[in-house]
Amino acid sequence: MQPLTVLLLLALAGVFLAWYVTYRRLGATRQQSAGLSRQIEECRGLQKRIETLQSLLKVVHSVLLLVDEDHHVVYSNAAAHRLFEMEVRDIPSTGDSLMAITRHHELDDIVRLTLENESDEGVGYQIVLQGRTYRVQARRVTIGGKPHVALVLEDISELQRLGRARRDMVANISHELRTPITSIRLLTDTLQRGALSDPRRGPKLLQKIVTEVEFLEQMAQELLDLSMIESGRVEIRLVPVELAGIIREAVGHFSEQAARKDVTIEGLAPPHLMVLADPDQVGRVLNNLLHNAIKFTPPGGIIEVSVALEGEWVCVAVSDTGPGIPEEERERIFERFYRGDRARQGSGTGLGLAIAKHIVEGHGGKIWAEQASPSGGARICFTLPTASL
Ligand SMILES: Nc1ncnc2c1ncn2[C@@H]1O[C@H](COP(=O)(O)OP(=O)(O)O)[C@@H](O)[C@H]1O
Ligand SMILES: [Mg+2]
């Protein structure tokens, strides 16, 4: 072989070798870069999942805290930041100690107990934080091979208040039912034992039974109205309606009861005055107001239903010559179950005005109490929108 050929061959072999090495290197680089793109993709996927979880946790109303074995808060959601007025940190981060953030040793004890307990079962506790009651669920979780505690705090104050109101209501109703039922029982016993044939006592006792039954009817109606309102089944259908007709009907409904107590009811409304209202519901408001007025007005008294036009609104007022409502009670009487000190002796559930307020506000109107005249008496006023024809 000629030296030139050898040289050429050597050169060729050299070039080939260089190409081969470069080719292998390129292959490895390509593999590395493919691996890198895969890792970048995975990272993006993880980032997306973190963002999704973070936005979900932001809208959760419960307070969420993740605490490590040194009692440091490593994750907290927006509800936790609001409750403990925390600085917002990104996750993952090693935060301050649970005690520094919450200043609540019971929570710290819960974390300690959960860490000591080997079981992964969640345990429920109840604590009071800033005057509100929270149900705490604590569960031991393992993250990165290390034990942590996940805490979920739910504000149950409102639930507790509702439960209490319901219990009060049952106690209240049972008590209120017992009084008229006992007197009806006594009255019927007396009638059966001979008073029925007594021309003087017979009708009197019967009348007393009628009064007790009327009270039971009013109470049943108020309870039914309240349960309808609370379950959202009361629909207020506004139609143009003549106010005088509604007032006439309500006054007519109570004329007998009032006469029996020697109380006069005067109800005047300008004819053709139209309001935008639900006639049945407004009738209910007037019923509750007139029922109270009769109850609180002593014999010989006067109840007056009056109407005044104030721009786009009609103001309806029921005034009486009873003892009136003390100024400090005038707002509270519209609360459910609220009964004035003086009223506690007599019958009632404390629901009538709460129902009236609900209905009036459903019409967009307002309801309030004032003194009827300088000499006293109560006046309850409410507004309704006029119907422009
Ligand atoms: N016309 C009135 N005169 C005096 N007090 C009244 C009158 N109307 C309402 N009140 C006071 O408002 C309270 C709440 O009224 P209401 O909700 O109808 O409950 P109830 O009649 O069952 O006691 C009454 O207990 C009473 O103290
Ligand atoms: Mg009442």
Side-chain angles (χ1 to χ4, degrees):
M1 224 188 280
Q2 287 182 5
L4 190 65
T5 319
V6 174
L7 270 177
L8 271 174
L9 261 178
L10 276 176
L12 193 67
V15 169
F16 179 76
L17 197 71
W19 170 83
Y20 181 73
V21 169
T22 316
Y23 176 79
R24 287 294 301 270
R25 268 202 205 133
L26 257 178
T29 315
R30 222 180 271 137
Q31 259 180 359
Q32 271 176 354
S33 83
L36 264 178
S37 342
R38 216 177 316 118
Q39 277 177 359
I40 288 172
E41 268 315 298
E42 275 173 18
C43 258
R44 280 203 187 117
L46 278 175
Q47 178 85 19
K48 214 167 140 191
R49 277 168 63 185
I50 289 174
E51 279 170 9
T52 314
L53 278 174
Q54 268 182 322
S55 17
L56 277 177
L57 290 174
K58 246 183 221 159
V59 295
V60 169
H61 287 295
S62 309
V63 169
L64 305 179
L65 292 168
L66 186 63
V67 182
D68 68 11
E69 54 186 337
D70 299 321
H71 292 217
H72 282 132
V73 175
V74 291
Y75 176 71
S76 49
N77 71 338
H81 302 155
R82 280 193 297 273
L83 180 64
F84 301 116
E85 293 169 353
M86 287 164 72
E87 258 178 64
V88 182
R89 292 195 166 101
D90 288 337
I91 52 164
S93 76
T94 311
D96 297 322
S97 77
L98 185 69
M99 263 307 271
I101 289 172
T102 65
R103 288 185 203 92
H104 200 279
H105 64 88
E106 267 182 85
L107 266 182
D108 209 52
D109 287 346
I110 292 174
V111 169
R112 187 176 42 76
L113 285 173
T114 317
L115 284 168
E116 279 167 12
N117 187 352
E118 293 291 296
S119 139
D120 286 345
E121 293 266 302
V123 183
Y125 301 87
Q126 197 164 303
I127 60 165
V128 176
L129 252 173
Q130 298 167 15
R132 299 187 70 85
T133 312
Y134 286 83
R135 183 188 290 142
V136 183
Q137 275 291 322
R139 181 184 280 249
R140 192 185 150 102
V141 287
T142 307
I143 297 170
K146 299 215 163 136
H148 285 65
V149 177
L151 292 171
V152 182
L153 279 74
E154 264 176 292
D155 187 344
I156 54 163
S157 314
E158 189 57 18
L159 268 177
Q160 274 192 331
R161 198 187 63 77
L162 284 177
R164 233 182 348 253
R166 214 159 287 271
R167 277 195 299 280
D168 286 354
M169 180 165 155
V170 174
N172 215 320
I173 293 167
S174 322
H175 175 75
E176 292 302 332
L177 278 174
R178 230 185 5 229
T179 319
I181 289 174
T182 311
S183 48
I184 292 173
R185 158 69 62 206
L186 286 173
L187 290 163
T188 49
D189 279 355
T190 320
L191 282 172
Q192 271 175 339
R193 269 190 268 110
L196 191 59
S197 45
D198 183 333
R200 206 176 45 85
R201 285 174 68 214
K204 260 194 191 165
L205 294 177
L206 210 60
Q207 193 48 62
K208 281 190 177 157
I209 294 179
V210 172
T211 311
E212 296 295 354
V213 170
E214 275 168 356
F215 164 68
L216 285 173
E217 272 173 354
Q218 174 77 18
M219 190 169 146
Q221 188 60 53
E222 286 179 3
L223 286 169
L224 188 69
D225 290 347
L226 183 81
S227 82
M228 295 279 279
I229 285 169
E230 301 224 315
S231 61
R233 275 180 289 157
V234 174
E235 244 183 78
I236 293 180
R237 278 187 221 98
L238 300 181
V239 288
V241 56
E242 197 189 5
L243 186 60
I246 308 179
I247 293 179
R248 212 178 305 121
E249 203 181 311
V251 169
H253 182 77
F254 283 101
S255 58
E256 212 190 297
Q257 251 188 66
R260 234 186 287 135
K261 209 182 159 183
D262 189 24
V263 167
T264 315
I265 309 185
E266 293 166 357
L268 280 179
H272 314 303
L273 177 59
M274 303 293 282
V275 286
L276 197 59
D278 185 323
D280 288 346
Q281 302 298 338
V282 174
R284 217 154 258 170
V285 174
L286 279 169
N287 270 3
N288 290 352
L289 300 190
L290 286 171
H291 182 260
N292 282 347
I294 294 177
K295 189 161 71 174
F296 292 107
T297 306
I302 298 171
I303 296 167
E304 191 193 357
V305 185
S306 59
V307 173
L309 196 62
E310 284 175 12
E312 307 271 282
W313 296 89
V314 174
C315 197
V316 185
V318 176
S319 319
D320 62 50
T321 52
I325 303 160
E327 200 168 346
E328 64 278 8
E329 283 186 10
R330 288 187 197 151
E331 265 187 45
R332 298 212 61 197
I333 55 171
F334 296 98
E335 288 173 13
R336 291 157 85 230
F337 302 115
Y338 183 84
R339 301 187 65 210
D341 278 340
R342 249 176 281 167
R344 291 227 177 89
Q345 332 294 340
S347 53
T349 54
L351 293 177
L353 289 181
I355 293 165
K357 182 178 161 94
H358 185 92
I359 296 173
V360 170
E361 288 180 350
H363 282 78
K366 278 188 283 197
I367 186 165
W368 68 94
E370 52 189 43
Q371 186 170 312
S373 73
S375 55
R379 177 184 289 139
I380 310 282
C381 311
F382 65 95
T383 56
L384 291 173
T386 50
S388 40
L389 289 178

